[in-house]
Amino acid sequence: MIKRVTIFFLFLALTVPVFAQQDPMYSQYVFNGLLINPAYAGTREVLNAAVLYRNQWVNIPGAPKTGVFSIDSPVKNQKVGLGLSVVVDEIGVTNHTGISGIYSYKLYFTQSSLTFGIQGGVGFFNSNNSAVKHSDNTTVDPAFVTDYHKILPNFSCGIYYHSDRYYAGFSVMDILGRTIENEIYPNLTNDLTVNVESHFFLTSGYLIDLSPNVKFQPSFLLKYVGGAPLAGDINGVFSLYDLLYFGISYRSYSSVDILTQVKINSQLSLGYSYEYSTNALSNFTSGSHEIVLRFQLDSGKRKFVSPRYF
């Protein structure tokens, strides 16, 4: 059974480009929008740093593992946001490291703001295809004899509107998609390669007071990637005393997620998510885990002084 799963997963990771190239999926974007939208940089009006680790589809050999470091902060009277994102993603014998700088500019209104963001960087794509062996574990499969290594620039953009009660955002990650890849590598015909696709995200959410100390935040995300069906998340998160956050999320075609975050002190927060697969993968995996540690430093210059829920 394990051998069949391994072969199946390698097929997805190596021979079907749209699966191999997709940006990592996250659950903790509910608490940190910078994961999917560069316009989020600086909008919390504090220095915001986070380290995330995701272990997807536990017990399946070669399943994705992702590490993310991100940091962002407002500058110049809170109108400009600057950020840095480092993503290390591994799936099967392929791995990708992306390093990006982020810039955002915010327009303030009476009780809300509108932010535009851009992100640019470079991605390092590698696949050790020759590591795929026959069942004797010594002979290289001829279909996987060629390794590949690519270095590609990447660009993303987004827009983000929020008040203390409502937010909405739209972003395009890897905006140039295959265009820039084909320009840099016009003669590459190897099927065991990465085809970069643009990712489109639409998000929105609202904050509801259930009592002075209990709040509820419903939200949704729509995601579109070329070659895959339109997918969506529906989320509901409760906040208790602005210290403990917990909720549930449903991801179409994929999973039901448990979301938690706890404030350790005024600067540190710890978040954890567990995903239970609702598709055929549930026969092979016990689920996915995601953990994030976030550090925030308030300069005391925030225009919105209420606690930030998104």
Side-chain angles (χ1 to χ4, degrees):
M1 176 66 70
I2 293 177
K3 182 182 291 186
R4 291 203 301 269
V5 174
T6 304
I7 294 172
F8 168 75
F9 199 82
L10 285 172
F11 174 79
L12 290 182
L14 295 174
T15 64
V16 183
V18 67
F19 282 90
Q21 62 76 38
Q22 282 194 16
D23 287 348
M25 64 175 70
Y26 306 102
S27 297
Q28 290 285 326
Y29 75 85
V30 173
F31 303 113
N32 184 9
L34 193 65
L35 291 168
I36 59 171
N37 190 342
Y40 193 79
T43 59
R44 295 186 72 91
E45 299 184 340
V46 297
L47 185 148
N48 182 52
V51 178
L52 178 147
Y53 176 73
R54 179 179 176 84
N55 187 0
Q56 188 168 322
W57 301 335
V58 174
N59 299 328
I60 295 183
K65 293 179 174 59
T66 306
V68 180
F69 169 76
S70 65
I71 185 169
D72 68 284
S73 178
V75 297
K76 291 188 177 181
N77 199 30
Q78 306 287 329
K79 290 186 176 181
V80 172
L82 298 178
L84 174 71
S85 173
V86 180
V87 179
V88 179
D89 190 40
E90 180 179 322
I91 175 172
V93 296
T94 69
N95 63 80
H96 164 243
T97 299
I99 303 173
S100 301
I102 304 168
Y103 173 89
S104 69
Y105 186 81
K106 183 185 295 184
L107 301 175
Y108 280 104
F109 306 108
T110 303
Q111 294 294 330
S112 62
S113 65
L114 180 66
T115 307
F116 303 88
I118 57 174
Q119 178 173 317
V122 62
F124 302 88
F125 298 86
N126 301 282
S127 184
N128 299 317
N129 297 331
S130 57
V132 181
K133 309 291 185 181
H134 278 294
S135 57
D136 60 12
N137 204 33
T138 58
T139 307
V140 176
D141 191 320
F144 296 89
V145 71
T146 303
D147 296 341
Y148 74 78
H149 309 280
K150 284 184 179 179
I151 300 176
L152 291 171
N154 61 74
F155 302 96
S156 304
C157 66
I159 185 171
Y160 180 72
Y161 172 84
H162 81 91
S163 66
D164 60 348
R165 292 286 168 180
Y166 173 78
Y167 77 89
F170 177 75
S171 62
V172 185
M173 310 298 283
D174 300 315
I175 191 169
L176 297 179
R178 297 189 188 187
T179 302
I180 195 165
E181 180 183 12
N182 294 335
E183 287 293 326
I184 297 176
Y185 300 96
N187 299 317
L188 188 62
T189 58
N190 182 12
D191 288 335
L192 303 179
T193 186
V194 169
N195 289 330
V196 178
E197 296 282 351
S198 298
H199 292 57
F200 300 83
F201 296 97
L202 176 66
T203 58
S204 186
Y206 191 78
L207 186 67
I208 302 171
D209 288 327
L210 300 181
S211 76
N213 297 311
V214 180
K215 298 176 175 59
F216 177 63
Q217 181 189 322
S219 64
F220 74 86
L221 176 146
L222 291 178
K223 173 183 176 181
Y224 177 73
V225 183
L230 181 68
D233 296 1
I234 299 176
N235 315 302
V237 176
F238 291 90
S239 167
L240 302 180
Y241 294 91
D242 298 328
L243 295 175
L244 175 63
Y245 305 82
F246 66 92
I248 191 169
S249 173
Y250 171 73
R251 176 167 291 162
S252 61
Y253 315 111
S254 179
S255 64
V256 173
D257 309 346
I258 303 299
L259 310 170
T260 62
Q261 186 177 108
V262 59
K263 281 189 176 181
I264 300 172
N265 56 39
S266 60
Q267 296 179 331
L268 286 176
S269 298
L270 180 66
Y272 169 75
S273 303
Y274 170 74
E275 299 181 15
Y276 176 77
S277 296
T278 56
N279 52 28
L281 285 172
S282 62
N283 297 317
F284 307 104
T285 176
S286 60
S288 304
H289 304 274
E290 190 172 304
I291 188 168
V292 61
L293 181 66
R294 187 168 71 184
F295 171 80
Q296 295 187 128
L297 181 62
D298 192 346
S299 66
K301 298 180 180 180
R302 289 190 295 166
K303 292 184 179 294
F304 298 117
V305 296
S306 60
R308 242 343 119 70
Y309 300 96
F310 34 76

